[in-house]
Amino acid sequence: MTSRERPIDPAAHPGLWLRCFGGFRLELDGIPVGWSGVRPRVRTLMRYLAAEAGRPVHRERIMAALWPELPERAAVNNLHVSVSTLRTFLEPGVARGASRFVVRDGASYLLDPGPGGGSDVLAFEAALAVARRAGPTGDATAVTGALRGALDHYTGDLLPEDGTAEWVVADRERYRARATEAAALLARVELDQGRARAAALAARRALELDGYHDDGWRLLVAAQRRAGDVAASRRSQQTYERVLRSLGVPRPAGVRPVHVTAA
């Protein structure tokens, strides 16, 4: 256990912070919780439930995701033992059925961070929801604030430590695509508001996430041109054309400025 790691004291800390983007971290007051002694299958269950962002998950889904090779009886046993171990880790001494964090809902389980906690997945989704609601009102300030917040929470791929596990791949790709679109939309709004350099930064973020994102390239070229950085705009245009050639797409006639209507 490092100097910045400590065991959980549920009496002193009513909530948990679960971070799934860019690698899993379990935190209390910004300090990582030490869990090096927890069994790998229990850690996997924790990450699986954390990625579901507080939504109940049916036990059949959990078993199919985490123990697909086991007979049902063995998988059920693994689930029960893992849930019990996880509850004890999160809330030492908790009575059976009294856990605040690992909650059973019928045949489903959910990981509840508690009123004083949260997760980056939940915060990311909430920020995108704010941006969607603010878009039709034309409130560019609200849209940019929400999109910046969402991108601050998205610090990398969902649970990279779980590799190519089937249960995480689709969600990982979905969140990456949503973050890419959020960055591109932020670039559009920034450009439409006359903030060309901020637009270029957002467009670059979109391209870091997806180097083939067409709008990202167009917005980057347009933003650099608007900012007066002709040389950078030309380099980006040339790179964009190489990307298009690699995809077998004809060379574009030019890049037109992009404006925002509604989110």
Side-chain angles (χ1 to χ4, degrees), residues 2 5 23 32 50 58 70 74 115 154 159 197 223 234-236 245 253-254 260 263:
T2 70
E5 290 184 331
H58 196 280
L70 295 182
Y154 186 84
L159 300 176
R197 294 192 183 281
R234 184 178 299 115
R235 287 194 298 271
S236 295
R245 285 198 298 273
V260 171

Side-chain angles (χ1 to χ4, degrees), residues 214 217-218 221 225 233-234 236-256:
D214 191 70
W217 282 111
R218 291 177 177 271
V221 172
R225 185 178 299 160
S233 178
R234 184 178 299 115
S236 295
Q237 175 72 34
Q238 291 169 346
T239 305
Y240 173 40
E241 291 172 5
R242 286 198 294 271
V243 169
L244 291 176
R245 285 198 298 273
S246 73
L247 297 172
V249 178
R251 180 181 183 277
V255 177
R256 295 174 292 180

Side-chain angles (χ1 to χ4, degrees), residues 187-222:
R188 292 190 191 102
V189 177
E190 299 280 27
L191 191 58
D192 199 48
Q193 295 299 306
R195 295 187 289 266
R197 294 192 183 281
L201 286 174
R204 284 192 180 281
R205 181 72 186 279
L207 293 171
E208 288 170 1
L209 295 169
D210 180 1
Y212 294 96
H213 196 267
D214 191 70
D215 273 359
W217 282 111
R218 291 177 177 271
L219 286 159
L220 178 60
V221 172

